[in-house]
Amino acid sequence: MSSSAPQLPQRAKRGPGLLIGIIAAIVVIAIVVVILVVSNRGSSSAAAAKTVSIGVADKAEPYWKTYTKLAKDKLGVTIKLVNFTDYSLPNPALSQGQTDLNEFQHIQYLANYNVTNSDDLQPIGATAVYPLPLYSTKYDDASKIPSGAKVAIPNDAVNEARGLLILQSAKLITLKGGGNAFSTAADIETHSVDVTPIDASQTAGALKAGSVAAAIVNQNYATTGGLSKSDAIFKDDPSSASAAPYVNVFVAKKKDDDNALYLKLAKLYHTASVEKGVQAANAGTAVFRSTSAADLQKELAQVEKDAKAAAAK
């Protein structure tokens, strides 16, 4: 009995049309891959390109040009400086998202703003403390000012308390509870001199005219009033606890208080070339501070507590 072996199905022959189709598909896939790679690179570049706007009050100072160049070179960040001539405007602008950061104020000013406006802006980096000197053209040491002599201090909310704290450090007065960043002349407990609060712009003039024996004078008014460094007979210690509220800071919204890029930008301020420019702009009076963001925020919380207590008086 004969039998035949089973036949395997015959493979279809590949014609030229099928081969062309496969090649075409491979080419299309390759093109798509290239487009995706280029597109992703472009998206990554766009994501890396970052602009940060910073509210300042002294945009024309050369050190900001140095700072913006460093930000571009070291961090790939384009800095947009927004200048304000009215100190009441930068914080609301930051709070409303018109800027990303600002750098123009010290902690005491920020605390007063937050409490007054129910806001929660936060310091993220220290810049410097600018000592506020006691000047005299007649006496070369605070201890030599005679009992009962008149001493002028600025009468504005920001500088009056600081002036009083300086006079206390100079052992010319004592303040209730040791004083704080919101003390007023009404808080003087004991005094060997007669403290006279006057407009900050008049302090240098009063001293030059001889109507006061000494005066607390802001740097800008000391310069325009013709006072020299040798006329400064006492100033607050920038490393002391009483000077902590007067550390100038970079400020961000609460949600950005740990933003890695913003923290780097604050640290960039302490590059040697920037600090050199800051000193040139401030007659060498800046005392740079590198206090951490966490410690600055802790200090702000304490000063805000003092501000609320002062408001409740």
Side-chain angles (χ1 to χ4, degrees):
M1 186 173 174
S2 66
S3 64
S4 60
Q7 298 291 311
L8 295 174
Q10 190 174 19
R11 292 184 180 179
K13 294 181 179 180
R14 295 180 179 174
L18 180 60
L19 186 59
I20 292 172
I22 292 172
I23 293 171
I26 292 172
V27 171
V28 169
I29 291 171
I31 292 172
V32 170
V33 170
V34 170
I35 291 173
L36 288 174
V37 169
V38 172
S39 177
N40 286 337
R41 285 179 179 173
S43 297
S44 298
S45 298
K50 175 73 175 175
T51 297
V52 176
S53 58
I54 304 177
V56 299
D58 56 352
K59 178 181 176 180
E61 292 294 347
Y63 70 84
W64 280 120
K65 186 175 181 180
T66 303
Y67 177 87
T68 55
K69 186 176 186 305
L70 281 170
K72 188 70 172 177
D73 294 345
K74 290 182 174 291
L75 302 175
V77 175
T78 297
I79 298 297
K80 177 184 176 184
L81 296 174
V82 181
N83 201 65
F84 295 92
T85 55
D86 184 339
Y87 278 14
S88 69
L89 299 178
N91 282 332
L94 173 59
S95 188
Q96 295 163 18
Q98 296 171 27
T99 59
D100 299 308
L101 300 169
N102 68 42
E103 195 288 305
F104 78 100
Q105 65 193 315
H106 49 48
I107 287 177
Q108 194 265 8
Y109 187 93
L110 175 60
N112 191 55
Y113 166 80
N114 277 348
V115 169
T116 303
N117 295 277
S118 300
D119 211 335
D120 59 357
L121 301 180
Q122 296 294 309
I124 63 164
T127 59
V129 178
Y130 297 90
L132 185 60
L134 173 67
Y135 288 89
S136 179
T137 54
K138 194 172 182 180
Y139 305 101
D140 61 7
D141 191 280
S143 64
K144 295 180 180 179
I145 299 174
S147 178
K150 287 186 178 181
V151 175
I153 63 171
N155 65 0
D156 59 279
V158 172
N159 291 302
E160 181 173 357
R162 190 177 183 186
L164 291 169
L165 289 169
I166 293 167
L167 295 184
Q168 180 171 250
S169 295
K171 297 180 169 50
L172 297 174
I173 65 170
T174 61
L175 297 167
K176 294 177 184 176
N180 59 49
F182 295 91
S183 295
T184 68
D187 294 313
I188 297 174
E189 275 192 328
T190 65
H191 59 93
S192 64
V193 295
D194 181 10
V195 179
T196 307
I198 62 176
D199 189 275
S201 64
Q202 298 175 9
T203 51
L207 182 60
K208 297 283 279 189
S211 58
V212 296
I216 298 289
V217 186
N218 297 81
Q219 177 64 42
N220 56 328
Y221 294 125
T223 301
T224 57
L227 296 175
S228 67
K229 285 186 178 181
S230 62
D231 294 324
I233 62 172
F234 191 85
K235 57 187 176 182
D236 48 359
D237 177 1
S239 64
S240 68
S242 63
Y246 306 105
V247 175
N248 286 264
V249 287
F250 276 88
V251 177
K253 292 185 283 292
K254 174 66 175 176
K255 69 181 182 66
D256 294 324
D257 65 4
D258 61 352
N259 182 293
L261 176 58
Y262 294 170
L263 292 172
K264 288 178 182 177
L265 287 171
K267 186 176 181 180
L268 191 68
Y269 189 93
H270 293 288
T271 304
S273 57
V274 177
E275 288 191 346
K276 182 179 179 181
V278 172
Q279 289 290 29
N282 292 279
T285 59
V287 179
F288 296 106
R289 294 285 290 266
S290 56
T291 314
S292 70
D295 285 344
L296 291 171
Q297 289 158 22
K298 184 178 179 180
E299 179 65 25
L300 174 67
Q302 178 59 53
V303 180
E304 286 179 346
K305 182 179 178 181
D306 293 340
K308 291 173 183 176
K313 285 182 179 180

